[in-house]
Amino acid sequence: MVLVDLHEDFAYSAQEGKDIIHGKEQSSIEMLKTVDKNAIIFSSIFPHIDVLSERSKELSLRYGFYTSSSNFSFDVLLSQLKDYYYLERTGHIKIIRSKEDLKKPGIKFLLSLEGTDSLKEFEDLYILKELHFLNVGLTWNYDTKFASSCFSRRDYGLTSEGEELVKLANKLGMIIDLAHASKRTVLDVCSITSKPVIISHGNARKLKDHVRNYDDEEIECVVKRGGVIGITAITSTLPEKSIKGLIENIKYIGESFGWDYVAIGTDFLGISEVPQGFEKITKIKELVIEGHEDQILWRNAYRVIEENL
């Protein structure tokens, strides 16, 4: 094995009409095979529909980049899920359903929900587990009944319903993902989880002061729980919009917090701009730091998967 990528948006990209099997931009099944024919990809399901609203305008003005407001739908969740089932039926991937699947040959997708906006109650995790979801992101860019997001006006952290969701996820062997989460949400989750958590795609605020990045206290909290931080290619979160920006983040996490806690979460197929020198998944090996190649590219993330499953 060479690669575990903690976040790629295959289903959302497919529904925008992009070729996720043979495509040449950012990532595709065929490109992954050239990197690692046994790669594990956290494959996101992002069940939202763009809408224009005062909320989207306000966020755009506050943070200096375009963001749409969204309606979240369980029907859209199921629609994107069907894309992954189709890829499996046609022999392109294997969906990970249990620990035993991790070592099976072929490209493997670990199904990931990005945001709990479409869930009505924490017991909905039982349904998601039956549908083979194994990673749950608590928030996207909006607060939910379970947790506040990094864009929250009032950071209330994890709600009582959110606490129950985290505990149930631990019980069911589902990974909790703190990408897009607020600071208090990160700290609250780390205080109650019995399993390692992840930040699937986020960078260090020490290197770039950005709302989607994480300060040292948050990173330390995830590290103490045995989790990992997936360094991401989102250009607005990097100290410079190039591969050097990613490498700076990798070195910062590794040298400051330990090389057992840094991983990769590209966000490929979910970003409109890519860093110079890291335009597609085939360049993944250029991110390695000598002596820590396996840890960064797959071993650390693999450990967290095993400990949760």
Side-chain angles (χ1 to χ4, degrees):
M1 183 180 294
V2 176
L3 175 64
V4 176
D5 189 341
L6 293 176
H7 193 87
E8 294 195 29
D9 280 291
F10 271 87
Y12 184 69
S13 183
Q15 295 199 339
E16 289 191 324
K18 296 178 182 177
D19 183 355
I20 61 172
I21 298 174
H22 305 289
K24 303 298 182 183
E25 295 184 8
Q26 298 188 18
S27 186
S28 67
I29 303 297
E30 292 303 317
M31 277 197 277
L32 285 170
K33 288 179 180 178
T34 68
V35 175
D36 178 10
K37 62 182 180 181
N38 296 312
I40 294 174
I41 307 299
F42 280 55
S43 303
S44 176
I45 287 180
F46 180 46
H48 91 139
I49 302 169
D50 287 339
V51 296
L52 294 175
S53 70
E54 289 79 3
R55 168 72 165 165
S56 62
K57 180 180 178 181
E58 186 262 339
L59 284 178
S60 299
L61 291 173
R62 282 175 65 193
Y63 297 105
F65 60 88
Y66 174 76
T67 179
S68 63
S69 192
S70 298
N71 287 331
F72 291 84
S73 164
F74 203 80
D75 288 338
V76 177
L77 181 153
L78 293 176
S79 177
Q80 293 186 13
L81 185 62
K82 290 176 184 178
D83 290 342
Y84 291 136
Y85 287 164
Y86 171 80
L87 289 176
E88 184 175 52
R89 288 196 308 274
T90 52
H92 293 290
I93 65 159
K94 167 67 181 176
I95 293 173
I96 296 173
R97 292 170 168 81
S98 67
K99 196 171 180 179
E100 290 70 31
D101 291 330
L102 295 175
K103 295 183 179 180
K104 290 183 178 179
I107 302 297
K108 292 171 284 291
F109 277 13
L110 190 148
L111 301 185
S112 305
L113 179 63
E114 187 165 23
T116 52
D117 310 74
S118 59
L119 304 185
K120 293 183 177 180
E121 53 192 8
F122 75 88
E123 290 97 339
D124 288 348
L125 285 192
Y126 286 111
I127 298 172
L128 295 185
K129 184 63 185 292
E130 290 298 319
L131 295 172
H132 313 303
F133 283 82
L134 293 178
N135 184 61
V136 178
L138 293 182
T139 61
W140 183 58
N141 289 343
Y142 303 109
D143 301 334
T144 74
K145 67 183 297 183
F146 305 102
S148 55
S149 83
C150 60
F151 288 97
S152 180
R153 291 178 177 174
R154 183 178 299 168
D155 185 0
Y156 53 82
L158 201 63
T159 66
S160 57
E161 187 90 353
E163 290 183 8
E164 295 302 320
L165 185 144
V166 171
K167 292 174 183 177
L168 181 57
N170 289 163
K171 177 182 175 181
L172 295 176
M174 302 173 77
I175 302 165
I176 290 293
D177 183 358
L178 296 170
H180 294 271
S182 71
K183 178 170 183 174
R184 187 170 175 183
T185 296
V186 172
L187 301 183
D188 286 350
V189 170
C190 289
S191 72
I192 67 169
T193 182
S194 61
K195 300 283 185 68
V197 297
I198 66 170
I199 294 171
S200 63
H201 54 306
N203 291 322
R205 185 163 286 191
K206 188 84 169 183
L207 301 181
K208 178 66 178 291
D209 187 12
H210 189 281
V211 67
R212 278 278 286 107
N213 285 346
Y214 298 80
D215 67 24
D216 285 1
E217 185 180 8
E218 294 170 276
I219 295 169
E220 181 69 26
C221 190
V222 171
V223 165
K224 285 183 177 179
R225 300 308 304 175
V228 293
I229 294 87
I231 301 306
T232 188
I234 303 170
T235 56
S236 59
T237 68
L238 295 170
E240 62 175 278
K241 296 181 178 183
S242 72
I243 193 171
K244 291 181 181 179
L246 281 95
I247 292 172
E248 282 185 49
N249 273 276
I250 290 170
K251 286 183 175 179
Y252 180 74
I253 301 297
E255 292 172 356
S256 303
F257 300 94
W259 289 103
D260 290 332
Y261 308 105
V262 58
I264 301 296
T266 62
D267 201 11
F268 276 159
L269 301 177
I271 51 179
S272 57
E273 182 183 24
V274 291
Q276 182 180 2
F278 187 60
E279 296 84 4
K280 57 183 64 178
I281 198 67
T282 52
K283 296 189 176 184
I284 192 72
K285 293 183 181 179
E286 297 182 28
L287 294 180
V288 300
I289 308 299
E290 187 175 356
H292 303 288
E293 294 91 339
D294 285 354
Q295 288 168 287
I296 296 166
L297 293 184
W298 73 272
R299 193 177 297 279
N300 293 338
Y302 192 88
R303 168 183 56 79
V304 171
I305 298 170
E306 283 200 310
E307 290 185 24
N308 273 274
L309 298 192

